Amino acid sequence: MDLSDVEALIEDAIPDSEATVTKMRGDHDEDHLRATVVSPAFEGERLVQQHQRVYDALDGVMTTDVHALELSTYTPEEYDARED
Protein backbone atom coordinates (compact mmCIF):
# COMPACT_ATOMS: atom_id res chain seq x y z
CA MET A 1 0.00 0.00 0.00
CA ASP A 2 1.32 3.42 -0.93
CA LEU A 3 2.12 5.76 1.98
CA SER A 4 -0.03 8.50 0.47
CA ASP A 5 -2.99 6.08 0.48
CA VAL A 6 -2.52 5.51 4.22
CA GLU A 7 -2.30 9.27 4.79
CA ALA A 8 -5.50 9.78 2.78
CA LEU A 9 -7.41 7.16 4.81
CA ILE A 10 -6.46 8.94 8.03
CA GLU A 11 -7.13 12.44 6.71
CA ASP A 12 -10.50 11.41 5.27
CA ALA A 13 -11.63 9.92 8.59
CA ILE A 14 -10.37 12.55 11.06
CA PRO A 15 -11.63 16.12 10.62
CA ASP A 16 -9.05 18.73 9.61
CA SER A 17 -6.19 16.30 10.12
CA GLU A 18 -2.76 16.25 8.58
CA ALA A 19 -1.05 12.87 8.47
CA THR A 20 2.56 12.11 7.67
CA VAL A 21 3.36 8.44 7.15
CA THR A 22 6.84 6.99 6.67
CA LYS A 23 8.38 3.54 6.65
CA MET A 24 9.52 2.68 10.15
CA ARG A 25 12.42 0.43 9.16
CA GLY A 26 13.47 1.92 5.84
CA ASP A 27 12.48 1.28 2.25
CA HIS A 28 12.91 -2.50 2.46
CA ASP A 29 10.07 -2.90 4.99
CA GLU A 30 6.74 -2.04 3.40
CA ASP A 31 4.32 -2.87 6.22
CA HIS A 32 5.93 -1.37 9.35
CA LEU A 33 4.89 2.28 9.35
CA ARG A 34 5.29 5.41 11.46
CA ALA A 35 2.49 8.01 11.43
CA THR A 36 2.28 11.49 12.85
CA VAL A 37 -1.25 12.88 12.88
CA VAL A 38 -2.16 16.44 13.82
CA SER A 39 -5.80 17.46 14.22
CA PRO A 40 -7.89 19.89 16.25
CA ALA A 41 -10.34 16.98 16.61
CA PHE A 42 -7.97 15.54 19.23
CA GLU A 43 -8.61 18.47 21.57
CA GLY A 44 -9.87 17.22 24.92
CA GLU A 45 -9.33 13.55 24.06
CA ARG A 46 -7.03 11.23 25.95
CA LEU A 47 -4.12 9.74 24.04
CA VAL A 48 -5.82 6.35 23.81
CA GLN A 49 -8.90 7.98 22.24
CA GLN A 50 -6.73 9.81 19.71
CA HIS A 51 -4.94 6.61 18.75
CA GLN A 52 -8.23 4.74 18.50
CA ARG A 53 -9.46 7.30 15.96
CA VAL A 54 -6.44 6.57 13.78
CA TYR A 55 -6.79 2.80 14.14
CA ASP A 56 -10.49 3.11 13.26
CA ALA A 57 -9.54 5.04 10.12
CA LEU A 58 -7.18 2.21 9.12
CA ASP A 59 -9.50 -0.63 10.12
CA GLY A 60 -9.65 -2.05 6.61
CA VAL A 61 -5.87 -2.22 6.16
CA MET A 62 -4.51 -3.03 9.61
CA THR A 63 -2.98 -6.53 9.63
CA THR A 64 -3.46 -6.88 5.87
CA ASP A 65 -1.43 -4.00 4.34
CA VAL A 66 -0.10 -2.50 7.57
CA HIS A 67 1.48 -4.91 10.02
CA ALA A 68 2.73 -2.43 12.61
CA LEU A 69 2.13 1.26 13.23
CA GLU A 70 4.17 3.57 15.44
CA LEU A 71 1.81 6.42 16.15
CA SER A 72 2.17 10.00 17.38
CA THR A 73 -0.90 12.21 17.67
CA TYR A 74 -1.11 15.91 18.49
CA THR A 75 -3.47 18.83 18.54
CA PRO A 76 -2.06 21.69 16.43
CA GLU A 77 -1.03 23.53 19.60
CA GLU A 78 0.77 20.47 20.97
CA TYR A 79 2.54 19.93 17.66
CA ASP A 80 3.70 23.55 17.47
CA ALA A 81 4.93 23.47 21.08
CA ARG A 82 6.87 20.20 20.87
CA GLU A 83 10.63 20.23 21.05
CA ASP A 84 12.42 18.76 18.03
Side-chain angles (χ1 to χ4, degrees), residues 3-80:
L3 299 178
S4 62
D5 293 334
V6 177
E7 290 171 347
L9 286 171
I10 296 167
E11 291 172 351
D12 288 347
I14 301 173
D16 300 316
S17 64
E18 183 176 325
T20 304
V21 178
T22 58
K23 294 178 182 173
M24 195 163 60
R25 298 182 183 170
D27 287 339
H28 67 282
D29 193 350
E30 297 288 325
D31 61 354
H32 288 77
L33 304 180
R34 174 179 293 123
T36 300
V37 184
V38 181
S39 175
F42 295 146
E43 188 67 44
E45 291 186 341
R46 295 176 310 185
L47 187 60
V48 69
Q49 293 169 314
Q50 296 172 12
H51 286 200
Q52 189 59 54
R53 277 184 180 250
V54 177
Y55 287 120
D56 287 347
L58 298 176
D59 185 49
V61 298
M62 287 302 296
T63 71
T64 57
D65 295 298
V66 178
H67 177 72
L69 181 66
E70 181 181 304
L71 187 55
S72 299
T73 55
Y74 304 93
T75 65
E77 294 78 19
E78 290 169 336
Y79 188 77
D80 290 342

